Amino acid sequence: MTYSVAVSGASGYAGGELLRLIADHPEFDVRTVTAHSNAGQPLTAVQPHLRSYTHLTLAETNAENLRGHDIVFLALPHGASGAISAELDEQSLVIDCGADHRLESEADWAAFYGGDFFGAWQYGVPELPRTKGTQRDRLAGATRIAAPGCNASTVALSLAPGIRAGVIDERDLVTVLAVGPSGAGKSLKTHLLASEMLGSASAYAVGGSHRHIPEIQQALRWAGANAPTISFTPLLVPMSRGILATSTAKLAPGADAASVRAAWTDAYAGETFVQVLPEGQFPRTADVLGANTALIGLAVDEAAGRVVVVAAVDNLVKGTAGAAIQSANIALGLPEATGLSVNGVAP
């Protein structure tokens, strides 16, 4: 069966990555692409690398142009997709790549985003461990899915196995992430100019202000945490794509290196796209470039009594577009890996 697809925000980074991946999906047929300021232009005028879509022209982003498709991907700025999604066909599968439908708590939304609260959809990180099973169990048959925040899903995948197995302390979680600027979108911002970034690294959203914090805490509660506390500090570094998240947590009483490794390897045993590396190996962002994989390295710092988890993802693939397509496959009953690859691009 072929499913008709519309992609909104097709002129942006997330929209472009959705289109790149869908081009190799045998069951998805992109029929409509939309944008705001770029509406009316050929898609390849703003996404010149997508040569298989030379026949498509960007339409205006509105509910009328998005209705009537089997699948609608919303790759819009935060706050823009909630109102549009409410006007779409109930029988369509809608995947929101923005933040509008990620959080269950209206109070968290008000504190970190503000504006209208549109309610939570099923969370699009299939491998995420929960107290019973994984998030995958809730995606089958879903018609409304919220793709994750790229930083949030990287950290949640890093820490949830330890929370579920009880081998780390939920009250003292620390994560520092090196992230590429594509996660901030395609709009022009002075601090993202090459002349400002090249040869430099800088921290941002320091001191607990990053919007992905409540999303991480929500995921860790699903894994069994009661009131997880996390210190989250992202660093902007001069690579166009990628996240390298180094997360640490106190060892729980009675836990040791063997039980720690067992917690993570058991959680991701048999997973195609989340892989725990052998002992002593740690991932690089280069290893996941263009791939729908999250690679995880583990160590126990015996002197500090802490678990160290290093995770690498491509923020535009496993962090956003790949997670959205993987979740759509599950919702539709297709093989989960359809149109997605574990192989990156090197050098």
Side-chain angles (χ1 to χ4, degrees):
M1 177 177 178
T2 299
Y3 296 89
S4 61
V5 174
V7 176
S8 68
S11 59
Y13 288 139
E17 195 67 3
L18 280 164
L19 289 165
R20 184 182 74 85
L21 297 173
I22 292 171
D24 292 326
H25 197 297
E27 307 293 340
F28 290 179
D29 177 24
V30 177
R31 298 181 186 173
T32 300
V33 290
T34 76
H36 285 295
S37 60
N38 292 300
Q41 297 188 61
L43 175 64
T44 49
V46 293
Q47 303 282 21
H49 62 298
L50 299 177
R51 303 315 301 175
S52 62
Y53 296 107
T54 55
H55 60 292
L56 291 179
T57 297
L58 291 161
E60 183 69 30
T61 296
N62 55 48
E64 182 179 357
N65 286 331
L66 296 173
R67 288 194 201 104
H69 296 82
D70 298 317
I71 308 169
V72 179
F73 290 97
L74 301 173
L76 301 173
H78 303 326
S81 59
I84 287 180
S85 65
E87 299 182 53
L88 298 179
D89 304 323
E90 291 185 7
Q91 66 270 26
S92 295
L93 171 58
V94 183
I95 302 98
D96 184 11
C97 294
D100 292 18
H101 298 284
R102 292 174 187 158
L103 297 182
E104 295 177 331
S105 167
E106 186 171 358
D108 283 344
W109 177 266
F112 284 84
Y113 291 92
D116 293 335
F117 178 66
F118 295 99
W121 290 353
Q122 291 298 339
Y123 193 55
V125 184
E127 304 91 349
L128 184 67
R130 298 186 63 124
T131 52
K132 292 183 179 180
T134 65
Q135 183 62 19
R136 178 183 288 108
D137 305 326
R138 291 158 176 79
L139 290 169
T143 60
R144 296 292 187 268
I145 295 170
C150 53
N151 295 318
S153 61
T154 305
V155 176
L157 288 168
S158 297
L159 295 173
I163 295 290
R164 187 172 72 174
V167 297
I168 60 175
D169 188 338
E170 68 179 62
R171 296 166 295 178
D172 183 14
L173 306 171
V174 179
T175 188
V176 178
L177 305 88
V179 302
S182 58
K186 208 173 186 179
S187 59
L188 181 62
K189 299 172 184 175
T190 301
H191 71 288
L192 300 181
L193 295 173
S195 56
E196 300 288 333
M197 286 195 59
L198 294 179
S200 180
S202 59
Y204 66 98
V206 178
S209 61
H210 198 285
R211 289 173 166 180
H212 287 176
I213 290 173
E215 189 179 336
I216 297 167
Q217 293 172 316
Q218 174 177 274
L220 297 183
R221 287 194 296 271
W222 293 339
N226 293 311
T229 58
I230 186 163
S231 173
F232 177 101
T233 306
L235 308 175
L236 189 64
V237 299
M239 58 183 182
S240 59
R241 292 171 178 249
I243 297 172
L244 188 71
T246 301
S247 304
T248 73
K250 283 185 178 179
L251 273 170
D256 58 15
S259 60
V260 165
R261 178 155 288 274
W264 270 262
T265 55
D266 289 351
Y268 298 128
E271 292 290 356
T272 300
F273 295 119
V274 180
Q275 301 178 13
V276 179
L277 300 180
E279 186 171 356
Q281 294 185 21
F282 298 91
R284 309 171 303 166
T285 56
D287 302 332
V288 296
L289 183 65
N292 192 51
T293 47
L295 300 183
I296 295 174
L298 284 170
V300 174
D301 185 335
E302 300 285 359
R306 297 187 73 88
V307 176
V308 182
V309 187
V310 181
V313 306
D314 184 323
N315 58 293
L316 292 178
V317 188
K318 186 57 175 166
T320 307
I325 293 169
Q326 184 182 350
S327 298
N329 286 337
I330 295 170
L332 295 167
L334 298 173
E336 189 170 328
T338 305
L340 301 169
S341 178
V342 296
N343 296 318
V345 177

